[in-house]
Amino acid sequence: MFWLRHSTGDGSPVAAGPGSEPVRGPRRINTVLAGVREFLTHGTTLGTVPTFVLSQLYEVADDRDLPMQARGEGSHLRYYAKARHRAAEPQEPVGRASDEEVLALLRACRSARDRFIVLLLARAGLRRSEALGMRREDIHFILDASVLGCRIPGSHLHVVRRDNDNGAWAKSKRSRAVPVDFLLVQAYDQYVVERDTCREARDSDFVLVNLFRPPLGAPMPPGALNDLFDRLSRRAGLADGVHPHALRHGFASNAADAGAVLDEIADLLGHASAASSQVYLHPDPQRLRSAVERVAALAPRRNG
């Protein structure tokens, strides 16, 4: 964990002293550790890794100390494994990305692909892994998709859960279609032209691929999207930075500000329950003021 926190990855020795700035944050470290645990656990099932390694990776406990309400049905003990090594992540709530921040990110983009990514999250509300797991067959940016065997009218995209080589997968098991506007369609058209100039990308079925660094044509991994938004935020002069998930919050909030009801927002976000969508709603301050003014307008006027 110390090596992951401070190693630059160029082979130089790690000699971090007090006050050294980390190279990777807790979330990135935990992502790498999760991959290591999955790899070694799979190795134990194949017999290529000794089984005692699992005891170094996981702490096995039972539910006897849990309250009755948390034990579930049945009286027998249940065991669970908890990762031993995990960096502490600060529990900071994700806010909505404002329209001004989205515009700043777009101005900071230096490629059509990056502009399409920003708009994909901001105008369609996709999760990071949903965007990176999309295939070209999921893009139906035409008025009538019946020729593709799809009865959904208007330009839209499909979010489908798959096992992807880049580790990106849709969180929800339920596939959904998301309507898109002309800005996203236009951004995609520009990206397709740019993508076609990369010979290695032409044969890839993934929508978002590496165009500017090796391996060219390979699907972008989830971590690359975080790195992209870090660069865009710095380039745009956004001191606090904008996380990819903040654009999803902004999309849901903008939909609510435009009059969408909770069940519509839940369908757009791919939530099975409308209650899951409530944390994504961050009302615009002007909408809150209008609500208060409407209440005041209903109050009976007193004669002076």
Side-chain angles (χ1 to χ4, degrees):
M1 291 178 68
F2 179 85
W3 186 90
L4 285 171
R5 186 175 291 112
H6 294 286
S7 172
T8 58
D10 58 2
S12 59
V14 177
S20 299
E21 289 292 330
V23 177
R24 298 172 185 84
R27 184 176 288 108
R28 181 68 170 169
I29 292 173
N30 288 333
T31 300
V32 175
L33 290 176
V36 171
R37 286 193 295 268
E38 183 177 354
F39 174 78
L40 293 176
T41 301
H42 182 63
T44 61
T45 62
L46 298 178
T48 57
V49 176
T51 55
F52 77 85
V53 171
L54 291 180
S55 64
Q56 307 299 313
L57 298 176
Y58 299 99
E59 177 184 358
V60 179
D62 56 55
D63 62 359
R64 71 181 71 188
D65 294 327
L66 297 177
M68 291 296 298
Q69 296 85 347
R71 294 187 188 180
E73 299 179 357
S75 57
H76 59 281
L77 285 177
R78 289 181 173 85
Y79 293 89
Y80 61 92
K82 179 181 179 182
R84 288 184 179 273
H85 310 94
R86 182 176 176 83
E89 297 184 28
Q91 297 297 320
E92 298 179 357
V94 178
R96 69 180 284 181
S98 67
D99 293 341
E100 292 76 15
E101 288 174 328
V102 173
L103 286 173
L105 292 175
L106 287 171
R107 293 190 185 102
C109 292
R110 296 176 178 172
S111 69
R113 184 201 65 181
D114 294 350
R115 287 192 295 273
F116 173 65
I117 291 175
V118 172
L119 286 174
L120 188 61
L121 273 57
R123 307 290 290 191
L126 267 60
R127 299 181 178 91
R128 178 188 65 168
S129 289
E130 291 174 344
L132 295 175
M134 278 200 316
R135 308 297 178 88
R136 289 191 286 183
E137 66 190 58
D138 300 331
I139 302 292
H140 291 179
F141 288 178
I142 51 179
L143 295 179
D144 184 4
S146 59
V147 294
L148 303 175
C150 178
R151 297 183 179 180
I152 298 175
S155 296
H156 63 278
L157 57 84
H158 291 268
V159 178
V160 182
R161 189 175 189 178
R162 303 183 180 93
D163 291 327
N164 296 313
D165 296 337
N166 61 347
W169 57 288
K171 183 178 180 180
S172 175
K173 297 180 180 179
R174 182 170 58 96
S175 301
R176 72 182 189 276
V178 182
V180 300
D181 59 17
F182 75 96
L183 287 176
L184 193 54
V185 174
Q186 186 180 57
Y188 180 70
D189 290 342
Q190 294 172 351
Y191 167 51
V192 169
V193 174
E194 179 182 76
R195 172 194 165 110
D196 195 54
T197 62
C198 178
R199 182 177 55 83
E200 293 84 353
R202 295 173 187 169
D203 295 332
S204 176
D205 189 40
F206 283 85
V207 173
L208 298 173
V209 295
N210 293 336
L211 297 181
F212 313 109
R213 62 182 62 183
L216 294 176
M220 295 177 64
L225 213 61
N226 287 353
D227 295 339
L228 170 63
F229 274 80
D230 287 342
R231 292 195 304 272
L232 293 178
S233 296
R234 290 194 301 269
R235 203 178 296 157
L238 302 175
D240 295 334
V242 177
H243 190 272
H245 207 63
L247 275 69
R248 178 172 163 87
H249 280 249
F251 168 78
S253 298
N254 284 337
D257 291 340
V261 294
L262 197 56
D263 62 333
E264 294 171 338
I265 295 172
D267 278 349
L268 289 171
L269 295 180
H271 290 152
S273 170
S276 301
S277 303
Q278 290 179 332
V279 297
Y280 285 80
L281 305 185
H282 310 266
D284 182 80
Q286 185 58 45
R287 185 157 68 95
L288 295 177
R289 176 170 293 279
S290 298
V292 173
E293 291 174 349
R294 289 196 300 272
V295 173
L298 293 175
R301 295 177 179 270
R302 294 184 178 181
N303 294 325

